[in-house]
Amino acid sequence: MMERRRMGAALLVLFLGNLANALEVPLDLPQPPTITHQSPKDYIIDPRENIIIHCEAKGKPHPSFSWTRNGTHFDIDHEPKVTMRPHSGTLVVDISAEKAESYEGVYQCTARNEHGTAVSNNIVIRQSRSPLWSKERNEPIVVQEGVSLVLQCRPPAGLPPPIIFWMDNNFQRLPQSSRVSQALNGDLYFSNILKEDSRNDYICYARFPHTQTIQQKQPITVRVLNLDAINETMAAFYNDTDLFSEAPKDERKPTFLIPSGPSSSKMVLRGQVLELECIAEGLPTPEISWSKVSGDFPAKRTSFLHYQKTLHIVNVSESDAGEYRCTARNWLGSVHHTIRVTVKASPYWIGGPPRNLVLAPRETGVLTCRANGTPKPTITWTMNGIPIENSPKDPSRKVEDDTVIFTEVQSGSSAVYQCNVSNEYGYLLSNAFVNVLSEPPRVLTPSDRVYQVIRNNRALMDCSSFGSPIPKITWFKDTTLNGDPYIQHDNGTLEIHVAQAHNSGKYTCVARNSLGTYENHVYLEVKEPTRILKQPEYKVVRRGRSVVFECKVKHDPSLIPTMTWLKDNGELPDDERFIVDSDSLTITDVIENDEGVYTCIMNTSLDHDSASAELTVVERPDPPTDLELTDQRERSVQLTWTPGDEHNSPIQKFLIQYEDSLHHRGHWHNLTEVRGTKTTAHLKLSPYVHYTFRVLASNAVGFSQPSFPSRMFKTNPAAPDENPTGVDGYGTEHDNLVISWKPMSGLQSNGPGLQYKVMWRQKEVDKEWTSVTVANVSKFVVSGTPTFVPYELKVQALNTYGVGPEPAIAHGHSGEDLPVAAPDNVQVLVLNSTLAEVHWEPVPPKSVRGRLKGYKVYYWRERSLHKHNPHHMEKQILTFSGNHSHGMLPGLHPFSIYSLNVRVYNGKGEGPPSPSQQFETPEGVPSVPSFLRITNPNLDSLTLEWGHPHDRNGRLAGYTLRYQSVNSSNELGPVKELALPANATAVTLPNLKYSTRYKFYLSAKTDRGAGPAISEEAVTIMDEALMPQFEVDVGTGNTQPSHPIARSPPLNPHHKVRPATPAFGNVSSSWAEDGALISWEYWGPERNVYVEYVVKNSEGEDEEEWQKEYVNGSQNLMLKGLKEGLSYRVRVVAKGHSDQTLHHSEELVVMVPAMASRQVDIATQGWFIGLMCAIALLILILLIICFIQRNKGGKYPVKEKEDAHTDPEFQPMKDDDCTFGEYSDNEDHKPLKGSRTPSNGTVKRDNSDDSLVDYGEGGDGQFNEDGSFIGQYSGKSASRDTAEGHESSEAPSPINAMNSLNSFV
């Protein structure tokens, strides 16, 4: 029972101790010292610099410091060269006049205050050393080729040991390989030495890292000689004695140079690096391999260096102990060496060093010092630097091996405890204080801290607290947070494993202990993740072109993104060709060095996303090089070449071209193609050619430039190998035969003196061939032949060296003549009113007198069988190729008489016609009536008039009229049908509904049936008592109200009226800020009402299409979006069921102001009117003065100009002398200054009182004797075509100036 209680107490103590370990004591509270920084245990110093031994500590009150050296007190006051930094224990030793080695030793720092004492590690101070190499003379080493060799380095011992490397006189590292390598001890090993290893500058260098100095060994000379060279060299010294008479070193199996023997052992400490080395000699050079006898290598910690000769394992653990085997092998055999590895361990912590302990009075706690090592280390405890067994007794403290247990501690028992763990390979020293405090809780995490996290990631919110007793932490967000998805850690941190948007908000953590409560608020913001929506894609681009990598990203809008582009995981080149935009990277003028992997990285303050794509730069291949001709024969040669750079696009084929400098100098011809994997081609050649070859390479981009030409290769002449092709025979006249062929090229001739032997004979008549030999032609004409008879033909090539092979026989015919016979027994079968079939008997072949091409049918319409239709005599031709005996005649007119004849034709032309045949086509359906119009609309009746069809296609049997009503929603009523006689051209329909729209369909018919219908719509008029009276202007479509009582009768009762009765009135417009307001009155039944408008153009300009706006039941519409300064034609229309216009109003012209102003019109302001009046008065006075001055100063040129020009233009006053300029009729027809001429070349009148054009028309402007203006300068001239606007010419006036300013404002 006692044992269980003791175990329970120990578990409780352990639990409480773990909780206390997480506490960090604020520096404003009393606490024992804690060492925060100290120098390393093994401290090697540079003798050229001051010695600095670090020792920093914190505590409350701030601790004081002291030192020991080699176990005794180090009195700083008696060391003039040693100072201690203020508020610190760090020592600074000035060695400017001292030797650093005099301060070598073991130092330890002590930091103490009233609550305890902390001590540092034992710091061993040693001076770094880099001694010089001992002077020595290295004799040259002469060795036989093939033997092994070791060049020893043996550097001087330094502290720390130097880094060894071999170089030559030029400070270049000596090349190493599986044959030559440097061992771990610095020696250079040759598994077998070669002749090229001879040199006189094998130099070993030692670099000492602490002092950054390099020491150099004397150069070593190595001379490698074979057996004969050695005997010749040594004979002179040894009386021609054969010094090396044994046979030269032959190939041999491997043996190890290091390590020696079959096995060895190695000890390594845990956590260090294990390096095992095997170097073997042999010929050929052995290959080294490694294996572990009792297990596998740790894959992530193992590497093989120095060409597999060194096994390298980092961070060694106990599992790496065992036997390792290295094997050296060549084709003659193998050798093994086993290395037994043992792993020892200096002390290391288990779960970390002891942690500080903060306890409230009468609380219980525990200090734990758990460590391990090989061999097992010993653990000792000290308190405030004194062995714990020599410290004051404390009944609340109990030491049990690696644990110190505190039970019901009392105030004032604070102290620092040291745990020392050691074995033969090292030690560990750790300070941990016990601080007895009574403190209410406080939260150390800053208040109102904002935590930001990406959605679906882990969120951690800190609530770091302190208190004694240990505070209990509780989290709130509206309610207490317990369970999923919230996890509260022992240190107070609240974790949300997968944060979502609804987790955002305010969180409160509360710390409580027996002494009080503390509350703190933090905020969590859950952000949307950064994602690349469109990743860059793999690109293949041609050199010199541009490429674009897109990288479109979505991110949380509250985060500021930063786009970064990398090339091959490095920065982009500093080149203006690389253009980085917000979501893309553009590379212009791509070069080959731009190849690589491009990565776009979108970073925010919380996360990032990246994507990569590869760029491949391709180009046409470089031209092949090194063309060679081999295996030269009479008719063939072999061509080889070296391919050029393919520029990342594999070569698909090679094109071989040749130049024939004998026949076509300067012209290259394609000879053959070979696959892109071949670099040779066997070329078949022709005789009598001077060949020069070149090669082009082709890949997916295109062909390369041609290679440089090969040397010339000439072939000898020979007889032709082939005859001309394309032999043909035909006649150009009825009594000749033209024999033609394709001439042979110089390449085909095979030699000089090319001629053609032309041979012919009449087929099945002549047995002997007639022949003729010609040259430099491609045809021969045989005269006096019968008309169109078959011939056999041959053309044979020959040259100075012989004739070509026997030619093949070709066939042809002599010339054709016109046919002499017409087809017989021509008959016509009428199938229907528009189609007939013609039959005839073919003419005999002999009468064709040529190659039969076919038959032609000539046919024409004599007349219509209807008396009203005129005669038609236009002939039509149908051609039937080949030996036909019948054909179809489509597209005939019904109810007509036709005539036809048939002719045969050959290559020469047509034969005589057959006797003409006549036939009749039956009746068909008539065409559409020529017109349909509606007249005399009344309340309940309408009159329809129409015209007969243009093509009756038979005897008219009558007309069919169908009509139906159409309501306001465009729905059709029932159809009514009316039969009308054939001679009728009008009908009146009574009993119709008033104010109703009707649709009419009229079609004519014969005995064959009804033809297509013509349609029209119309509306009966309204009740006269309910509508205003209008007159209808048939010509313009305008409606005008007449007298309200009496209605004017129509001018012509049979005159056509509009299909849609006019029903609009009082159409007006007004201008508002939003646009033009169009208003009207409408009395029609239709509901499809639109306002149409179009820009009013000048005369001669093309008119634009009308724009329309639908009116939704009202009688006004605001037209928006009209352009400033333009005039528009506007009308209101009502449309019918088929979108045709039934009614439309008169047109309005709406002028849009040049600039709409929201400000008050200053022209109505009193101050502005006064200012304008003053300006006008001043201008008037200036004008009077100028007139007077002008009248006194000289002659006026005005009258002279009037006499010379019938249509002058008046120039404005000059600025310099206040005079009027002279008349001008040749200065580009300039208008008055400040005015604009309309596009039609005329000057329009304005309402301005001061405009010169408002003074009257007729005569020229004049001045009276005293200079006053009495006439008008006319602006009208038929020759004026200048287009400079739509405004009138105006002289300056106050009113005009004010209007201009108003329009500007």
Side-chain angles (χ1 to χ4, degrees):
M1 180 66 71
M2 284 296 294
E3 197 63 34
R4 288 183 180 177
R5 288 180 181 176
R6 188 171 298 170
M7 288 181 63
L11 290 174
L12 176 62
V13 167
L14 181 61
F15 174 72
L16 293 176
N18 288 336
L19 288 179
N21 289 338
L23 297 178
E24 187 72 23
V25 182
L27 279 176
D28 61 336
L29 296 178
Q31 56 185 293
T34 300
I35 292 181
T36 58
H37 178 56
Q38 57 182 316
S39 293
K41 294 179 182 179
D42 194 4
Y43 188 14
I44 300 175
I45 62 173
D46 189 336
R48 300 167 298 181
E49 298 177 355
N50 290 341
I51 303 172
I52 301 176
I53 310 175
H54 293 280
C55 181
E56 305 288 342
K58 65 178 182 177
K60 183 69 174 181
H62 190 72
S64 60
F65 298 89
S66 62
W67 285 86
T68 63
R69 177 184 175 187
N70 297 328
T72 61
H73 177 66
F74 185 54
D75 192 351
I76 299 174
D77 296 335
H78 291 82
E79 295 287 341
K81 297 294 184 179
V82 181
T83 58
M84 185 182 294
R85 291 177 177 174
H87 309 291
S88 169
T90 298
L91 297 181
V92 179
V93 182
D94 182 6
I95 61 169
S96 58
E98 298 285 342
K99 290 185 177 181
E101 62 184 14
S102 61
Y103 289 96
E104 291 183 333
V106 180
Y107 292 79
Q108 188 173 38
C109 173
T110 300
R112 58 171 56 86
N113 65 11
E114 61 189 61
H115 302 293
T117 301
V119 296
S120 70
N121 292 321
N122 288 328
I123 303 171
V124 180
I125 303 296
R126 293 188 295 170
Q127 174 188 328
S128 64
R129 291 176 173 83
S130 53
L132 297 176
W133 230 299
S134 59
K135 294 293 183 179
E136 61 180 0
R137 181 183 178 187
N138 295 322
E139 296 293 337
I141 300 176
V142 180
V143 293
Q144 181 183 353
E145 185 178 14
V147 301
S148 62
L149 178 66
V150 180
L151 300 183
Q152 295 180 341
C153 181
R154 296 180 182 176
L159 184 67
I163 299 171
I164 307 301
F165 50 93
W166 290 80
M167 296 201 300
D168 59 15
N169 280 329
N170 296 320
F171 299 99
Q172 299 297 317
R173 286 186 178 269
L174 295 176
Q176 298 190 24
S177 63
S178 59
R179 185 180 63 86
V180 182
S181 61
Q182 177 182 314
L184 296 177
N185 64 359
D187 293 345
L188 190 63
Y189 283 78
F190 295 80
S191 296
N192 52 77
I193 199 160
L194 302 178
K195 181 70 175 177
E196 56 264 26
D197 294 327
S198 296
R199 61 190 308 154
N200 58 3
D201 57 351
Y202 286 95
I203 306 173
C204 181
Y205 289 86
R207 182 170 66 86
F208 297 89
H210 252 71
T211 58
Q212 294 298 317
T213 57
I214 297 178
Q215 302 290 346
Q216 172 185 335
K217 184 182 178 72
Q218 291 296 319
I220 301 174
T221 299
V222 175
R223 297 175 184 170
V224 181
L225 303 175
N226 55 30
L227 181 61
D228 295 335
I230 292 175
N231 285 330
E232 292 173 1
T233 302
M234 303 304 293
F237 298 98
Y238 295 99
N239 297 321
D240 294 331
T241 302
D242 191 357
L243 184 62
F244 297 99
S245 57
E246 70 273 11
K249 291 290 183 180
D250 295 327
E251 294 180 342
R252 59 193 181 279
K253 63 182 296 185
T255 58
F256 282 110
L257 298 175
I258 55 170
S260 59
S263 63
S264 59
S265 61
K266 175 84 171 181
M267 190 277 290
V268 64
L269 291 179
R270 180 182 183 271
Q272 294 185 353
V273 177
L274 172 62
E275 287 186 314
L276 303 179
E277 183 179 46
C278 283
I279 299 178
E281 64 92 15
L283 190 64
T285 302
E287 294 181 357
I288 305 296
S289 61
W290 291 87
S291 62
K292 188 176 182 182
V293 176
S294 56
D296 298 326
F297 298 118
K300 294 182 178 181
R301 296 185 289 114
T302 303
S303 59
F304 299 94
L305 308 177
H306 306 140
Y307 303 94
Q308 302 283 3
K309 298 176 184 180
T310 303
L311 172 64
H312 189 87
I313 301 177
V314 299
N315 194 20
V316 171
S317 65
E318 287 81 355
S319 62
D320 296 324
E323 292 186 352
Y324 293 81
R325 175 178 293 175
C326 67
T327 302
R329 179 182 291 105
N330 64 16
W331 69 274
L332 293 174
S334 62
V335 62
H336 307 282
H337 183 90
T338 302
I339 306 174
R340 185 174 296 101
V341 175
T342 58
V343 179
K344 302 293 184 178
S346 60
Y348 57 91
W349 298 113
I350 299 177
R355 295 184 177 89
N356 296 332
L357 189 60
V358 179
L359 299 174
R362 306 192 64 79
E363 275 194 328
T364 299
V366 63
L367 285 180
T368 303
C369 181
R370 293 187 176 176
N372 200 358
T374 306
K376 185 175 178 61
T378 58
I379 299 176
T380 59
W381 288 93
T382 59
M383 186 184 85
N384 295 330
I386 302 173
I388 198 166
E389 56 270 14
N390 298 333
S391 301
K393 300 298 182 182
D394 186 351
S396 65
R397 180 183 67 219
K398 181 179 181 181
V399 179
E400 292 186 355
D401 193 18
D402 60 357
T403 304
V404 180
I405 302 173
F406 301 91
T407 307
E408 295 187 354
V409 296
Q410 301 298 320
S411 298
S413 59
S414 298
V416 181
Y417 291 83
Q418 289 82 33
C419 172
N420 192 319
V421 184
S422 62
N423 66 8
E424 59 184 288
Y425 299 109
Y427 74 95
L428 294 173
L429 177 64
S430 177
N431 294 276
F433 65 66
V434 176
N435 197 10
V436 181
L437 288 174
S438 292
E439 280 294 323
R442 65 171 77 176
V443 176
L444 305 180
T445 300
S447 179
D448 298 326
R449 172 178 284 183
V450 178
Y451 293 91
Q452 294 180 332
V453 68
I454 297 298
R455 180 170 56 85
N456 293 328
N457 284 5
R458 184 175 67 164
L460 294 173
M461 290 173 284
D462 294 332
C463 188
S464 178
S465 64
F466 181 79
S468 186
I470 300 171
K472 179 181 179 182
I473 303 300
T474 307
W475 282 90
F476 296 91
K477 184 179 184 286
D478 301 329
T479 60
T480 304
L481 303 179
N482 288 317
D484 190 55
Y486 301 101
I487 302 172
Q488 183 170 327
H489 295 275
D490 293 340
N491 62 357
T493 298
L494 180 67
E495 176 184 348
I496 305 175
H497 189 62
V498 181
Q500 300 297 330
H502 65 268
N503 296 130
S504 298
K506 178 181 178 181
Y507 289 79
T508 302
C509 77
V510 178
R512 292 186 179 91
N513 68 6
S514 58
L515 301 178
T517 301
Y518 193 96
E519 186 176 287
N520 191 44
H521 305 291
V522 296
Y523 297 87
L524 177 64
E525 296 178 356
V526 180
K527 307 291 185 179
E528 289 298 313
T530 302
R531 291 291 179 265
I532 294 179
L533 302 180
K534 185 173 183 180
Q535 298 184 357
E537 299 176 348
Y538 172 72
K539 298 285 186 180
V540 177
V541 65
R542 187 174 173 182
R543 185 176 60 196
R545 298 188 178 179
S546 298
V547 65
V548 178
F549 288 106
E550 290 187 295
C551 187
K552 297 186 182 298
V553 182
K554 178 183 178 183
H555 62 88
D556 192 283
S558 64
L559 299 177
I560 300 176
T562 301
M563 175 70 77
T564 303
W565 285 89
L566 303 178
K567 179 181 183 292
D568 298 328
N569 294 324
E571 294 184 356
L572 290 178
D574 185 12
D575 193 332
E576 61 183 8
R577 297 182 301 105
F578 289 78
I579 304 171
V580 178
D581 292 326
S582 59
D583 56 1
S584 66
L585 168 65
T586 302
I587 308 174
T588 61
D589 193 17
V590 171
I591 61 177
E592 291 183 352
N593 288 340
D594 296 335
E595 284 186 341
V597 177
Y598 289 84
T599 304
C600 71
I601 304 175
M602 178 59 77
N603 289 294
T604 66
S605 56
L606 297 181
D607 68 338
H608 74 278
D609 196 10
S610 63
S612 299
E614 186 176 358
L615 172 63
T616 300
V617 180
V618 298
E619 185 50 273
R620 298 181 182 186
D622 289 343
T625 58
D626 303 331
L627 271 65
E628 292 185 5
L629 297 176
T630 58
D631 193 17
Q632 301 175 8
R633 300 186 181 183
E634 189 71 22
R635 296 282 188 100
S636 67
V637 71
Q638 184 163 291
L639 176 65
T640 60
W641 62 88
T642 301
D645 191 344
E646 61 186 20
H647 296 296
N648 293 325
S649 180
I651 295 176
Q652 299 170 346
K653 63 181 180 180
F654 291 99
L655 173 63
I656 302 172
Q657 297 179 330
Y658 71 92
E659 178 195 26
D660 181 5
S661 58
L662 180 62
H663 301 101
H664 296 92
R665 179 180 296 275
H667 294 275
W668 290 90
H669 308 275
N670 294 341
L671 180 60
T672 186
E673 292 181 355
V674 297
R675 295 193 307 273
T677 56
K678 299 183 66 177
T679 59
T680 182
H682 189 76
L683 306 179
K684 294 182 179 180
L685 307 179
S686 297
Y688 196 51
V689 177
H690 294 179
Y691 284 100
T692 304
F693 302 100
R694 70 182 187 184
V695 183
L696 294 83
S698 173
N699 61 10
V701 181
F703 276 99
S704 69
Q705 292 295 318
S707 67
F708 287 111
S710 69
R711 61 182 176 84
M712 184 180 293
F713 181 72
K714 299 180 180 180
T715 55
N716 296 322
D721 293 328
E722 55 184 314
N723 291 308
T725 59
V727 178
D728 191 17
Y730 57 91
T732 57
E733 300 294 339
H734 66 88
D735 59 350
N736 74 0
L737 170 66
V738 178
I739 304 173
S740 65
W741 60 92
K742 183 179 179 181
M744 296 173 62
S745 65
L747 183 67
Q748 295 172 312
S749 66
N750 286 6
L754 176 64
Q755 293 181 315
Y756 304 101
K757 183 179 181 181
V758 183
M759 296 169 279
W760 69 92
R761 68 181 179 186
Q762 188 174 345
K763 188 176 182 181
E764 298 178 355
V765 176
D766 297 336
K767 293 184 179 180
E768 299 298 327
W769 292 86
T770 304
S771 65
V772 64
T773 300
V774 297
N776 301 322
V777 295
S778 60
K779 64 181 179 180
F780 179 76
V781 180
V782 181
S783 302
T785 62
T787 300
F788 197 69
V789 295
Y791 278 86
E792 293 179 332
L793 315 169
K794 293 193 298 182
V795 180
Q796 187 177 30
L798 62 152
N799 62 17
T800 306
Y801 290 84
V803 299
E806 180 65 24
I809 296 177
H811 297 85
H813 283 78
S814 57
E816 299 178 272
D817 205 348
L818 293 176
V820 296
D824 292 332
N825 197 19
V826 178
Q827 298 180 355
V828 180
L829 176 62
V830 178
L831 300 179
N832 56 42
S833 61
T834 61
L835 181 65
E837 186 175 9
V838 184
H839 291 262
W840 64 86
E841 289 184 2
V843 298
K846 290 185 177 181
S847 62
V848 177
R849 299 205 300 176
R851 186 172 285 104
L852 176 67
K853 293 293 187 71
Y855 291 86
K856 293 184 180 180
V857 178
Y858 286 74
Y859 65 101
W860 59 97
R861 186 184 183 193
E862 295 281 1
R863 63 183 177 85
S864 172
L865 292 174
H866 195 277
K867 62 181 179 179
H868 297 287
N869 287 65
H871 296 282
H872 297 275
M873 296 299 294
E874 295 179 2
K875 288 188 177 182
Q876 294 176 283
I877 303 174
L878 278 179
T879 301
F880 300 94
S881 299
N883 192 15
H884 284 270
S885 61
H886 67 280
M888 308 296 289
L889 302 181
L892 303 177
H893 289 275
F895 206 53
S896 301
I897 296 177
Y898 278 88
S899 296
L900 63 79
N901 59 53
V902 184
R903 310 177 190 189
V904 66
Y905 72 99
N906 59 16
K908 191 72 173 179
E910 299 176 0
S914 67
S916 296
Q917 300 288 331
Q918 279 196 345
F919 63 94
E920 295 182 3
T921 55
E923 287 187 301
V925 298
S927 64
V928 66
S930 56
F931 67 88
L932 175 64
R933 56 174 172 252
I934 293 91
T935 62
N936 296 337
N938 292 308
L939 287 174
D940 59 353
S941 66
L942 288 171
T943 298
L944 279 72
E945 296 179 355
W946 63 86
H948 294 301
H950 288 295
D951 295 321
R952 303 193 179 195
N953 295 336
R955 297 178 180 85
L956 287 181
Y959 292 91
T960 300
L961 175 65
R962 294 179 295 116
Y963 62 96
Q964 56 190 140
S965 60
V966 183
N967 61 18
S968 59
S969 59
N970 292 328
E971 295 177 351
L972 299 174
V975 178
K976 296 182 180 180
E977 186 172 314
L978 182 63
L980 301 172
N983 59 352
T985 58
V987 67
T988 299
L989 299 179
N991 302 324
L992 302 177
K993 295 181 181 179
Y994 71 88
S995 188
T996 302
R997 179 153 50 103
Y998 286 88
K999 189 162 189 177
F1000 302 93
Y1001 310 89
L1002 180 68
S1003 60
K1005 60 182 178 180
T1006 63
D1007 291 341
R1008 289 294 304 273
I1014 185 173
S1015 64
E1016 187 60 274
E1017 290 189 19
V1019 181
T1020 55
I1021 65 175
M1022 296 184 180
D1023 191 337
E1024 295 180 359
L1026 300 177
M1027 64 175 289
Q1029 304 301 309
F1030 291 87
E1031 291 182 357
V1032 180
D1033 184 350
V1034 178
T1036 63
N1038 295 334
T1039 58
Q1040 300 176 350
S1042 64
H1043 195 278
I1045 298 176
R1047 182 181 178 211
S1048 300
L1051 299 177
N1052 185 353
H1054 299 291
H1055 201 290
K1056 177 185 175 182
V1057 298
R1058 298 275 179 182
T1061 303
F1064 290 99
N1066 296 332
V1067 182
S1068 62
S1069 68
S1070 61
W1071 182 255
E1073 292 183 357
D1074 296 335
L1077 179 63
I1078 311 299
S1079 303
W1080 64 90
E1081 293 182 2
Y1082 174 58
W1083 305 280
E1086 283 76 24
R1087 294 296 178 262
N1088 293 337
V1089 179
Y1090 298 85
V1091 173
E1092 296 183 340
Y1093 60 96
V1094 69
V1095 175
K1096 182 179 180 183
N1097 292 336
S1098 300
E1099 296 180 6
E1101 295 186 17
D1102 294 336
E1103 187 174 285
E1104 300 179 4
E1105 294 185 0
W1106 287 83
Q1107 307 293 319
K1108 63 181 180 180
E1109 298 286 344
Y1110 178 70
V1111 180
N1112 190 13
S1114 65
Q1115 294 194 3
N1116 57 71
L1117 179 71
M1118 180 69 71
L1119 287 181
K1120 300 180 179 180
L1122 302 181
K1123 296 182 179 179
E1124 298 175 354
L1126 297 181
S1127 297
Y1128 288 83
R1129 296 163 54 197
V1130 182
R1131 66 188 182 190
V1132 190
V1133 300
K1135 293 185 178 291
H1137 176 66
S1138 301
D1139 203 36
Q1140 74 272 26
T1141 300
L1142 300 180
H1143 311 283
H1144 70 77
S1145 70
E1146 61 183 354
E1147 292 185 5
L1148 291 177
V1149 176
V1150 177
M1151 299 183 65
V1152 183
M1155 183 177 293
S1157 175
R1158 299 176 180 268
Q1159 302 178 5
V1160 176
D1161 189 358
I1162 65 172
T1164 62
Q1165 304 300 305
W1167 65 269
F1168 186 76
I1169 295 175
L1171 176 63
M1172 292 297 103
C1173 291
I1175 294 174
L1177 180 60
L1178 179 61
I1179 293 174
L1180 182 60
I1181 294 171
L1182 290 174
L1183 287 174
I1184 294 172
I1185 294 173
C1186 288
F1187 286 146
I1188 295 173
Q1189 291 290 87
R1190 185 66 175 175
N1191 191 34
K1192 292 180 178 181
K1195 295 181 180 181
Y1196 290 94
V1198 175
K1199 185 62 178 176
E1200 298 175 3
K1201 293 296 181 178
E1202 289 178 351
D1203 295 338
H1205 302 282
T1206 59
D1207 188 21
E1209 292 181 4
F1210 185 60
Q1211 297 294 330
M1213 290 186 297
K1214 297 182 181 180
D1215 294 334
D1216 53 355
D1217 58 2
C1218 298
T1219 62
F1220 285 88
E1222 294 184 356
Y1223 287 98
S1224 174
D1225 194 36
N1226 56 2
E1227 296 182 5
D1228 301 330
H1229 306 292
K1230 294 181 180 177
L1232 288 176
K1233 184 175 182 180
S1235 67
R1236 283 178 282 182
T1237 303
S1239 59
N1240 59 5
T1242 63
V1243 179
K1244 297 184 178 180
R1245 296 178 60 86
D1246 201 324
N1247 293 330
S1248 171
D1249 294 318
D1250 293 320
S1251 176
L1252 296 179
V1253 298
D1254 286 340
Y1255 285 98
E1257 298 180 359
D1260 298 334
Q1262 298 177 2
F1263 289 97
N1264 59 11
E1265 293 180 354
D1266 61 0
S1268 61
F1269 184 71
I1270 60 174
Q1272 178 202 6
Y1273 293 99
S1274 174
K1276 298 180 180 180
S1277 174
S1279 64
R1280 300 291 196 265
D1281 294 326
T1282 306
E1284 296 185 7
H1286 300 282
E1287 299 180 6
S1288 62
S1289 301
E1290 297 181 4
S1293 75
I1295 303 301
N1296 291 337
M1298 183 174 67
N1299 290 337
S1300 299
L1301 184 58
N1302 285 338
S1303 65
F1304 176 75
V1305 175

